Amino acid sequence: MKKLYSKVVLILMVVFFAISMCTVVNATAEGMQVLNSNDKYLIYIDGLLGDTYYYAIEDNAGVNEDDLNWIAAKDDTEGNKVVEVTKEQANSYLWVMQNNEIIKTAEPINLEDAVTVEDVNEMKTLTNRIDVTIDTVTETTREDDVIRKVTQGTLEITDSKNATYSYQIVLLNDENSDYVQLEELVNKIGTEMNMYENIELTKQYNELWNNIIENAKLSKVKDNTIMQPEDAEDGTKYAVLLQKEEDGETTYDVQFLTSYKEVENTETTETVKKEVKTALPVTFDNPILFIALGVVLVAIVIVAIRMRKVSKKNEK
Amino acid sequence: MKNNKKLIGYKIFLILLIIIAIVIIVLIAKKYIGNQINEQKNDEIVEQVKQHEKTSEPIKYGNDSIIGIISIPKIKLEYPILDKTTKENMRISITRFSGGNVNENGNLALAGHNNYDGTMFGKNKQLVLGDKIYLTDLQKNTVEYEINSIFKTDPNDVSILETRDEDIKELTLITCTNGNKERLIIKAEEVKK
């Protein structure tokens, strides 16, 4: 009975151990980001980018710490301290030691969600891939005695004239959380970040961006101008997703804007000039032509009579 | 010899007179054919105005604008009403001489030529008290007016332009009579239904 009990406990322990290992192997270790740079994998450890440390890589998580083979952290091209890993070392385990103290033990090495330098650079170009200008337009309408001027923001595409453009406007609210998160991400891009933060942000960007593009509902841009949302009030935040298609290439970009609306109502007071009439208009049909015709006809008759008289005299 | 010279002189003079007569006839024909062409054009304009969508703004026409249509069935008169009274406008159609917009309260005075061929207000002398005049505005409202006064007055009598009652719609038609010595005035008032 005791032997049986021991066997069962042992089996259960092995099963639990195997399950936990599987779980550990598939998860990305906290505080570590991986960059795929020229077929090399560089692991950046949060908080240790500028510090000297040692690392060890083993296939087996259960290796005795005294048997670990310590290597000094390498430098990347910018002088950051990194762990260099090969493709073959995927799914291995990492130990990190600093000041003779082991600070990371058997951390699983997962290269699947590594980002490339190109990924990081692509993220950094967000909002600058399609040239645009932000401007305002004023529309003046008149209703009765009130002149209404409404000034609103517009987005004008100033990029290649040979491309076709499409867009989608999305309000930044709880219903569009991807865009809200993307805006926060874009705000971070402009700040100073180390490579660890850049890689972390790039992974977040990849996920958000793919989701946004996949669910985009685009409309064609007319006259290269996009008006702000019609019912947007002054200060409403919104995003404009842009698509550019030229020579078979498609580019996506986004702009984050705050709507601007200024309404000016002016009551007009028209000065009515009263024209004082001093006489009624001349509306007669001038008979001068008829009179002239009559005179001419009478003259013709008189001349004809005279001619006849003279002719008769000549005959005599 | 003397008589022959005289005869030649008369012949030349006669030819000249005939040429002048022809020129005058051509001018008269041009004027009245022009009137008829103008009539046709006005008919087309009236149709266009009737088809136009409702608007509160005058409809552009050349250098001026149209503010409504006048119709007097008894004398088969129907013209667009031009906004301002000018020499040029009066050659084309009936014009507003004074007053507000068509079918507004107050006195609206319209002027038109008393043409010999009966165009414009050339047949106004056939109208009598009780005859109906219709004005259609740009909102497509047609108001019936009934003639309640016909008289002649001095060309300087501007009192006929005054509004008698601010609460009613009045209409005054002005045209010349007795050459240019007098004005034939026809006054009408809205028929309230």
Side-chain angles (χ1 to χ4, degrees):
Chain A
M1 197 63 182
K2 255 191 183 173
K3 268 191 184 170
L4 180 65
Y5 176 75
S6 306
K7 273 186 190 167
V8 167
V9 167
L10 188 63
I11 290 166
L12 281 171
M13 278 175 67
V14 167
V15 166
F16 276 126
F17 182 73
I19 289 169
S20 64
M21 280 292 103
C22 288
T23 311
V24 166
V25 162
N26 286 335
T28 304
E30 269 187 43
M32 289 171 24
Q33 299 292 348
V34 184
L35 182 74
N36 181 351
S37 173
N38 301 325
D39 290 329
K40 269 193 303 192
Y41 291 88
L42 307 178
I43 297 177
Y44 292 78
I45 299 174
D46 192 18
L48 295 183
L49 265 62
D51 297 337
T52 310
Y53 61 89
Y54 292 85
Y55 66 92
I57 298 175
E58 297 291 341
D59 294 334
N60 186 349
V63 168
N64 197 320
E65 285 175 5
D66 293 332
D67 296 332
L68 292 170
N69 203 8
W70 296 104
I71 305 166
K74 314 280 184 192
D75 285 348
D76 72 359
T77 53
E78 289 169 11
N80 294 309
K81 296 293 181 191
V82 296
V83 173
E84 254 184 41
V85 173
T86 63
K87 217 190 304 187
E88 291 71 36
Q89 287 171 312
N91 301 321
S92 301
Y93 299 90
L94 175 71
W95 283 256
V96 176
M97 178 175 70
Q98 190 184 40
N99 298 326
N100 290 320
E101 192 188 328
I102 294 177
I103 56 176
K104 283 199 185 296
T105 305
E107 294 284 357
I109 296 174
N110 182 6
L111 304 180
E112 276 178 15
D113 56 356
V115 304
T116 63
V117 173
E118 289 75 26
D119 288 338
V120 175
N121 289 335
E122 188 198 295
M123 175 196 70
K124 288 182 178 177
T125 64
L126 196 58
T127 73
N128 292 310
R129 298 171 193 167
I130 298 174
D131 291 337
V132 296
T133 306
I134 295 162
D135 207 342
T136 56
V137 69
T138 302
E139 193 188 332
T140 306
T141 53
R142 183 175 177 149
E143 206 176 298
D144 296 326
D145 291 331
V146 177
I147 296 173
R148 186 178 158 93
K149 279 188 191 173
V150 180
T151 304
Q152 294 186 85
T154 62
L155 185 77
E156 192 190 334
I157 297 175
T158 53
D159 209 294
S160 167
K161 292 196 189 315
N162 298 326
T164 54
Y165 300 94
S166 304
Y167 76 103
Q168 180 184 3
I169 291 181
V170 174
L171 294 178
L172 295 182
N173 53 30
D174 295 336
E175 288 172 19
N176 300 304
S177 57
D178 277 352
Y179 279 93
V180 173
Q181 287 175 57
L182 189 67
E183 195 215 3
E184 289 165 7
L185 186 147
V186 163
N187 289 337
K188 285 182 191 167
I189 291 174
T191 61
E192 262 193 52
M193 292 191 296
N194 58 36
M195 187 50 99
Y196 177 90
E197 289 161 336
N198 271 316
I199 298 168
E200 189 179 42
L201 208 65
T202 303
K203 279 158 67 172
Q204 191 190 353
Y205 156 77
N206 283 342
E207 194 183 325
L208 284 171
W209 196 238
N210 289 338
N211 208 28
I212 283 170
I213 301 299
E214 213 176 280
N215 295 303
K217 288 173 190 153
L218 302 168
S219 309
K220 285 266 178 262
V221 175
K222 287 179 191 166
D223 300 324
N224 285 351
T225 302
I226 301 164
M227 298 292 294
Q228 69 187 28
E230 252 184 62
D231 46 2
E233 291 307 320
D234 193 44
T236 303
K237 284 185 160 190
Y238 65 101
V240 181
L241 178 66
L242 295 165
Q243 180 199 62
K244 169 185 168 184
E245 289 175 303
E246 186 177 17
D247 299 330
E249 260 189 55
T250 304
T251 307
Y252 288 95
D253 199 1
V254 71
Q255 293 294 331
F256 292 98
L257 306 163
T258 304
S259 64
Y260 171 79
K261 193 169 188 174
E262 190 185 308
V263 179
E264 192 187 305
N265 289 325
T266 314
E267 261 190 55
T268 58
T269 43
E270 283 184 18
T271 309
V272 178
K273 281 187 195 168
K274 264 201 164 172
E275 200 185 323
V276 177
K277 304 281 186 195
T278 55
L280 298 180
V282 175
T283 51
F284 85 121
D285 194 359
N286 200 331
I288 186 86
L289 286 175
F290 292 108
I291 295 167
L293 184 63
V295 166
V296 167
L297 289 173
V298 165
I300 288 171
V301 167
I302 293 170
V303 168
I305 292 170
R306 290 230 173 216
M307 277 175 67
R308 198 172 156 73
K309 275 187 181 168
V310 170
S311 295
K312 272 187 180 167
K313 257 189 189 171
N314 281 349
E315 277 165 20
K316 279 182 187 166
Chain B
M1 193 72 171
K2 223 183 175 178
N3 283 342
N4 280 339
K5 274 189 184 171
K6 246 189 185 174
L7 199 60
I8 291 166
Y10 278 136
K11 276 184 183 170
I12 293 168
F13 189 44
L14 183 66
I15 290 166
L16 270 170
L17 284 174
I18 290 170
I19 291 169
I20 291 170
I22 291 169
V23 167
I24 293 172
I25 290 168
V26 165
L27 287 173
I28 291 171
K30 191 181 165 197
K31 179 178 175 179
Y32 290 100
I33 290 170
N35 280 358
Q36 293 310 310
I37 293 170
N38 196 52
E39 288 294 289
Q40 278 177 12
K41 200 171 175 195
N42 277 330
D43 288 341
E44 286 166 14
I45 291 164
V46 164
E47 273 315 302
Q48 279 174 25
V49 172
K50 284 178 180 174
Q51 302 295 331
H52 200 279
E53 57 191 29
K54 286 184 191 179
T55 175
S56 54
E57 297 294 320
I59 299 168
K60 286 285 168 203
Y61 177 62
N63 292 329
D64 204 343
S65 40
I66 296 168
I67 59 169
I69 300 170
I70 178 172
S71 170
I72 309 178
K74 181 175 176 179
I75 54 175
K76 295 189 176 59
L77 179 150
E78 192 170 48
Y79 285 100
I81 303 169
L82 299 181
D83 192 15
K84 295 185 192 67
T85 296
T86 63
K87 224 173 175 178
E88 189 51 45
N89 280 359
M90 289 190 70
R91 274 197 208 112
I92 301 169
S93 191
I94 306 302
T95 63
R96 169 172 57 181
F97 184 64
S98 76
N101 284 325
V102 173
N103 294 336
E104 270 182 11
N105 282 353
N107 185 12
L108 173 66
L110 305 179
H113 276 299
N114 178 6
N115 286 343
Y116 289 118
D117 60 356
T119 55
M120 303 292 173
F121 281 165
K123 292 188 216 164
N124 276 18
K125 48 189 154 306
Q126 298 176 21
L127 296 172
V128 297
L129 297 179
D131 282 342
K132 302 286 192 270
I133 303 171
Y134 298 88
L135 294 188
T136 305
D137 56 44
L138 299 180
Q139 295 292 315
K140 307 235 176 176
N141 299 315
T142 299
V143 175
E144 186 183 26
Y145 295 77
E146 185 177 296
I147 296 174
N148 58 17
S149 178
I150 300 175
F151 58 93
K152 293 178 188 176
T153 191
D154 187 86
N156 296 317
D157 180 13
V158 294
S159 67
I160 58 124
L161 305 175
E162 288 166 8
T163 294
R164 189 170 57 81
D165 187 338
E166 292 285 351
D167 296 326
I168 61 168
K169 297 178 180 55
E170 286 177 67
L171 176 63
T172 301
L173 306 185
I174 306 165
T175 193
C176 283
T177 189
N178 197 9
N180 190 25
K181 291 184 190 153
E182 288 179 307
R183 300 290 179 269
L184 175 66
I185 306 298
I186 294 176
K187 285 236 175 228
E189 209 172 278
E190 178 196 6
V191 174
K192 289 225 165 111
K193 287 175 184 169

